[in-house]
Amino acid sequence: MDSTNNNKSFGSSSLTMGEKICAAFIPVIAVMDFLIFAMAKCFEYRPHHKKCRYGFTDLARLSNESRFTVNEVEALYELFKKLSSSIIDDGLIHKEELQLALFQTPYGENLFLDRVFDLFDENKNGVIAFEGFVHALNVFHPYAPIEEKIDFAFRLYDLRQTGFIEREEVKQMVIAILMESNTKLSDDLLEAIIDKTFADADADKDGRINKEEWKEFVLRNPSLLKNMTVPHLKDITTFFPSFVYNTEVEDL
């Protein structure tokens, strides 16, 4: 699709203003597109009958620390092993491996990737351990409170971790994800969308969006969070029957 068509579709009068505003927050939706795709691959996976590195005690502990059942945690471990061994088989997800999963290439710099990786890197040591993987995915559980989902989305855009979403941060994130999706917007249209976003979200007109303003903005535009839930998780046994029949642990 060429840039002209892309610009027309974003500027089309058929889009509501809310939809145009939400265009400024494409990265949130892109995160969930990846997670849903990855979970689908997990469900297609047929595990070998190998001893799970994590025993029942470990799985039960992670289940207690999250909203996942023990079976779900073990299924997530199968997904984690697949991602963490794609380049370096060391039981950890490296940034290159996450980039390979997201963009089908382990090379190149990407602001969007950096921010997602940082949110999943619980120990801030440059890799994602399984525990951090489970804890990060917990916010996408169907039963996770909307407040947690709103907070995660806020932190995704708070690039400098100042407690505010600033205009330039939103612009950088949108440009980064549009480049990866081969979508182009004219500078004028991009600026107009961001202008309207801040006009609606920045209640005190100080040029930045604080947490309370963000919460109110998202509640007025719920489509921003419509992909902040992985629907399969609450029905994982339905989508992953072979795993359930061969699981090494019994659910609590």
Side-chain angles (χ1 to χ4, degrees):
M1 182 181 294
D2 60 33
S3 60
T4 301
N5 288 336
N6 285 329
N7 285 332
K8 284 183 178 179
S9 65
F10 274 88
S12 171
S13 59
S14 64
L15 291 180
T16 67
M17 184 53 65
E19 289 170 329
K20 292 179 181 178
I21 291 173
C22 291
F25 293 96
I26 291 173
V28 173
I29 298 172
V31 172
M32 286 312 306
D33 284 344
F34 158 68
L35 290 173
I36 291 172
F37 173 78
M39 289 302 296
K41 291 298 181 183
C42 177
F43 300 141
E44 294 171 2
Y45 181 73
R46 294 297 180 264
H48 300 293
H49 298 288
K50 296 191 300 183
K51 179 70 175 177
C52 179
R53 172 186 159 190
Y54 284 79
F56 176 81
T57 301
D58 297 314
L59 298 175
R61 173 178 56 81
L62 287 171
S63 176
N64 289 333
E65 293 173 0
S66 68
R67 297 177 181 85
F68 302 118
T69 66
V70 177
N71 278 170
E72 289 172 343
V73 172
E74 191 177 3
L76 289 176
Y77 183 55
E78 296 298 335
L79 168 61
F80 180 84
K81 288 192 294 184
K82 200 171 184 180
L83 295 177
S84 64
S85 62
S86 61
I87 297 177
I88 304 172
D89 191 2
D90 61 355
L92 300 165
I93 297 178
H94 295 253
K95 185 177 290 187
E96 295 82 1
E97 291 172 319
L98 184 62
Q99 184 163 353
L100 180 63
L102 277 169
F103 304 118
Q104 287 74 57
T105 175
Y107 307 110
E109 295 184 1
N110 185 287
L111 178 64
F112 171 60
L113 170 77
D114 291 344
R115 192 66 192 121
V116 173
F117 189 87
D118 185 59
L119 291 177
F120 275 72
D121 179 10
E122 185 175 62
N123 296 323
K124 306 305 177 189
N125 58 356
V127 291
I128 302 172
F130 180 56
E131 287 83 355
F133 186 69
V134 172
H135 295 159
L137 284 177
N138 193 41
V139 73
F140 299 106
H141 193 281
Y143 301 141
I146 190 172
E147 290 78 11
E148 290 186 17
K149 298 176 187 293
I150 290 173
D151 180 68
F152 181 92
F154 182 89
R155 289 186 290 127
L156 181 67
Y157 285 93
D158 183 13
L159 300 181
R160 300 178 182 85
Q161 301 178 50
T162 61
F164 298 93
I165 297 176
E166 300 177 11
R167 179 189 177 90
E168 190 58 29
E169 292 175 323
V170 173
K171 185 174 181 179
Q172 287 180 40
M173 286 289 286
V174 173
I175 290 175
I177 196 62
L178 288 177
M179 288 178 63
E180 288 298 335
S181 62
N182 294 318
T183 301
K184 295 181 180 180
L185 298 181
S186 69
D187 290 341
D188 289 344
L189 182 55
L190 179 60
E191 292 293 338
I193 290 174
I194 296 177
D195 282 344
K196 180 57 180 174
T197 299
F198 273 78
D200 284 4
D202 181 16
D204 60 11
K205 308 304 178 186
D206 64 352
R208 55 189 186 176
I209 302 170
N210 61 40
K211 287 186 177 181
E212 188 58 33
E213 290 172 332
W214 171 252
K215 179 179 179 180
E216 293 177 1
F217 175 68
V218 171
L219 292 177
R220 293 197 305 271
N221 296 276
S223 58
L224 284 172
L225 296 183
K226 68 180 181 180
N227 287 338
M228 283 289 291
T229 297
V230 179
H232 303 310
L233 289 177
K234 61 184 177 183
D235 297 310
I236 196 169
T237 57
T238 299
F239 288 91
F240 203 18
S242 65
F243 166 76
V244 174
Y245 298 147
N246 297 305
T247 182
E248 297 174 14
V249 299
E250 294 184 4
D251 216 343
L252 292 176

